[in-house]
Amino acid sequence: MKSTRLFLVLSLTLILAACGGTTSVKPTSQPTVSSGSKAPPPPIAKKGGGYYLDDGPGDNPPADIDGIPDAVPRAEVPLARANRPYSALGTRYTPMTVYVPYKQTGIASWYGKRYHGQKTSSGELYDMYGMTGAHTVLPLPSYVRVTNPENGRSVIVRINDRGPFHSDRLIDLSYAAAYKLRLIGKGSGLVEVEAIDTRPGKASSQPTPPIETPLPPVSQPLAESTTAFVNPVPETMPVNGDYVQVGAFKIESNAEGLKDKLRQNNLVGNVSIASWYNTGTYRVLLGPYVNREEADRAAAQIKQVLSTNAIVIRK
């Protein structure tokens, strides 16, 4: 009987707590804040609610996350065990083992308390309040500058883990880095990622000048700049219809290299493939397809095989 009364009391307590109601602590929008602005930071969520799989900050986050200093670039020896070729979710990746000029635009996601304290690919423990990140092929360790083009905010993080293994994402950031970039409320967002040259004699704290990024290996997602799709249909495209755009490049040889990869993987099918030039950009296009459904299927297959962006456009 005593146990029955205890059960009824606990049940009643839970029901009353549920009736009290709670609201999601996830912000519904993010303010547009330029770098150096004094606008208030986004609210720090408390435990539970609003985040994917209940991820988010810990129970006692630092009082001033914006005050957490960026990673300080320095020359480090790449870890042999962490830079070997590997496979993840059916895709083969070949990491870089030396510095190579790298600048890409793509989607950044972040991870928080769910992985706090767990071991990273470099063997270090993940600190959600450290300025770190994960990348599929950049050397471990290495340093990158990550910029949010929406608000101009920029941070420097140390790459010490592998991921993200989603074809539509470019980099994973620590909770602190995402917070400083104002990406927390959205869960993910568009960023620019640029490798920092830390070799002796280089200005390690500054990003390298803009350099055309070489065509990545097949295993590396090709993150395209948003400006590449402002006018995706070349003026000289001869036939109306549905096309699949796989990439956009400033250097013609990069576009030709991607065309070769599409042919080698039997992804062209019965349509034409060309690198159409317009407004200073070479766009790799396949088509025209019989209809939109055929184009959608082709784009999905290309994305699955090459782990790269493929979008359907219509002229």
Side-chain angles (χ1 to χ4, degrees), residues 246-267:
V246 189
F249 305 90
K250 294 295 184 182
I251 296 178
E252 184 177 12
S253 60
N254 285 349
E256 293 300 319
L258 180 55
K259 287 168 56 180
D260 290 340
K261 290 185 185 299
L262 290 164
R263 295 190 184 98
Q264 292 166 9
N265 287 274
N266 299 316
L267 296 172

Side-chain angles (χ1 to χ4, degrees), residues 29 38 109 115 161 204 221 240:
S29 63
K38 298 301 182 181
S109 48
Y115 302 99
D161 202 3
S204 61
N240 292 338

